[in-house]
Amino acid sequence: MIKVALIKSNGEVAYTVSPAVDDMYVDGQTYNDCIAKHIDHTANDAVVISTWYWDDKWKTREAKSDDWHDWVDNAWCFNSIDFWDFVRGQRNGLIIDSDWTQVTDSPLSSAKKTEWARYRQALRDAPETYSYATSLDAIIWPTKPR
Amino acid sequence: MSYGILVNSSGGFTQIDATYDNLAVYASGTVNSSYVNAAGTGGATNKVAFPANTPADWCIFAKPTTESGDHLLTLAHYSDGTGFAFFNTWQNSTVISVSWVIAVRSRDMPTNNNPDFGLEVNKSNGEQAFSSNNLNFRCEQVSFDTIVNTQTSLSSFSVSDMAGVYSLMNGKTILGAAPSGNQFYSILYSFFSRFEYTPKTIRGFAAPVALASYGATGQFGGGTKTNLIGRFK
């Protein structure tokens, strides 16, 4: 009985397989863009996926720490495009949620409306305010007016 | 029965016979779950490609690899038929390790050129009904749900020992749409399997999977779902 790690082009393990018969996966052969490598059948699959990578031989790495890092050239690289797309998506949701405060027939007083407008502007400014951020923890959204 | 072997349990249930196929493990493995972030702009898709020559009438079973906590999983089958992935609910980017099994009828299992000792049972037409060289499915509980309106919680299995218990994942489909919190979007719902390791239950669950354009009617339902859990031994 064998166990197989399917390796992506960047060296990461996409998934593991224990086939019913050994000849289902030939060591070193490509299957759907992944290279099959036979591994010890007692290896812990989850550990293999998170901490092993292939660079002409098996090497180990730190497990992925967050969603904003990609495995590139055998190292974790911050993906600022994905990160800021996600942040802007969250920000846009908050702005949409407060659209009702700015319509002409909003029940809010003029002062409250201005307060909400400032809140919405702070949301729009957030990517610039926190341009240094590399994690969601670093971004503090403005407090919604009551 | 002129061929094969018949094994009955003390309760009279047939465990092995020469008439019906058993469900056997064609391949099993581990993959991280996938997700699409709330903005719909990114995420991670971890696809398992079907092994070569996988029979068309497969069943996919899954469970969280680490048997603790509370996890929702749904199966996404690629429309080109090349593979599958397991998704968390919409807006939830928590990635977990998922143990998966592709199970097929024993007659469709590949020839094992290195068989171990044990027992093979063939049908009268020569097809294999059972082989102890295979990991075979042992059904533990089964139920059937009809979904109505905005019902999200389906029938629940209480499981005395959750260790190694898998849930059937295919047979799920998009249920329908309901309005989201704002006026511009609707939310698509689908079936999930919910693994709750502390109360020791596995249940069907309807939960959001994606945003859709506005136009939901405010109700979803009308779907049906078979709930099936068991172990592979």
Side-chain angles (χ1 to χ4, degrees):
Chain A
M1 184 183 182
I2 60 165
K3 186 180 282 185
V4 184
L6 278 298
I7 303 164
K8 295 190 274 190
S9 57
N10 65 354
E12 286 189 295
V13 177
Y15 59 97
T16 59
V17 185
S18 297
V21 292
D22 293 355
D23 54 7
M24 208 181 276
Y25 289 93
V26 177
D27 190 75
Q29 195 160 309
T30 300
Y31 297 88
N32 295 288
D33 302 327
C34 289
I35 296 171
K37 295 300 295 182
H38 292 190
I39 59 174
D40 184 343
H41 75 279
T42 62
N44 181 312
D45 293 28
V47 171
V48 170
I49 291 169
S50 61
T51 65
W52 291 22
Y53 70 97
W54 182 259
D55 182 19
D56 290 329
K57 61 179 181 180
W58 287 115
K59 296 180 179 176
T60 56
R61 63 178 186 179
E62 293 283 317
K64 189 171 184 169
S65 58
D66 57 43
D67 298 335
W68 323 117
H69 285 81
D70 296 331
W71 189 248
V72 181
D73 295 332
N74 298 331
W76 288 117
C77 290
F78 177 63
N79 185 331
S80 62
I81 294 172
D82 275 5
F83 177 75
W84 285 110
D85 276 351
F86 181 82
V87 171
R88 287 193 187 91
Q90 279 200 322
R91 187 270 316 268
N92 292 347
L94 293 170
I95 290 175
I96 288 170
D97 285 345
S98 63
D99 278 352
W100 65 273
T101 66
Q102 302 301 304
V103 295
T104 48
D105 58 349
S106 161
L108 296 175
S109 67
S110 167
K112 273 289 167 197
K113 232 173 170 176
T114 306
E115 222 178 302
W116 276 98
R118 283 200 199 100
Y119 163 78
R120 287 159 62 85
Q121 188 57 49
L123 287 172
R124 289 192 190 92
D125 293 342
E128 199 175 329
T129 309
Y130 297 104
S131 58
Y132 57 87
T134 58
S135 77
L136 294 179
D137 295 341
I139 296 172
I140 300 163
W141 296 114
T143 307
K144 270 184 195 173
R146 292 192 163 199
Chain B
M1 188 179 79
S2 55
Y3 291 83
I5 186 173
L6 180 63
V7 178
N8 288 335
S9 68
S10 59
F13 297 104
T14 300
Q15 294 179 315
I16 304 170
D17 75 3
T19 305
Y20 301 105
D21 292 327
N22 277 268
L23 205 52
V25 174
Y26 189 79
S28 62
T30 305
V31 67
N32 283 338
S33 61
S34 305
Y35 70 94
V36 177
N37 67 26
T41 55
T45 304
N46 297 305
K47 174 186 174 184
V48 176
F50 282 111
N53 305 315
T54 302
D57 45 357
W58 43 260
C59 290
I60 292 176
F61 292 79
K63 73 174 188 68
T65 304
T66 302
E67 296 174 332
S68 62
D70 181 346
H71 305 286
L72 279 164
L73 287 175
T74 196
L75 176 77
H77 175 223
Y78 281 66
S79 56
D80 63 4
T82 57
F84 58 90
F86 299 97
F87 274 81
N88 204 334
T89 51
W90 173 58
Q91 289 186 309
N92 189 337
S93 61
T94 305
V95 172
I96 65 162
S97 178
V98 181
S99 298
W100 55 267
V101 169
I102 300 170
V104 301
R105 286 184 289 179
S106 48
R107 70 166 197 189
D108 294 329
M109 287 293 284
T111 303
N112 189 338
N113 294 318
N114 299 298
D116 206 340
F117 297 106
L119 176 70
E120 283 190 2
V121 179
N122 287 340
K123 296 189 279 189
S124 58
N125 63 4
E127 290 176 348
Q128 189 180 90
F130 172 87
S131 169
S132 58
N133 280 302
N134 299 335
L135 285 169
N136 292 290
F137 181 64
R138 298 285 182 262
C139 176
E140 302 202 358
Q141 296 186 57
V142 64
S143 68
F144 187 74
D145 280 309
T146 301
I147 316 300
V148 292
N149 292 332
T150 53
Q151 169 194 6
T152 55
S153 192
L154 288 78
S155 60
S156 172
F157 295 126
S158 288
V159 186
S160 57
D161 177 11
M162 295 272 283
V165 177
Y166 285 76
S167 174
L168 178 67
M169 300 300 290
N170 52 313
K172 298 175 170 64
T173 185
I174 296 292
L175 267 174
S180 73
N182 69 64
Q183 61 185 307
F184 298 107
Y185 299 109
S186 303
I187 302 174
L188 287 176
Y189 279 69
S190 185
F191 287 122
F192 286 73
S193 285
R194 183 169 194 157
F195 297 82
E196 302 164 321
Y197 284 94
T198 300
K200 293 185 180 177
T201 57
I202 298 174
R203 70 177 74 225
F205 202 81
V209 288
L211 273 181
S213 57
Y214 179 70
T217 61
Q219 289 200 334
F220 62 89
T224 55
K225 179 178 177 294
T226 300
N227 308 298
L228 173 64
I229 62 169
R231 288 183 170 85
F232 292 90
K233 290 182 177 174

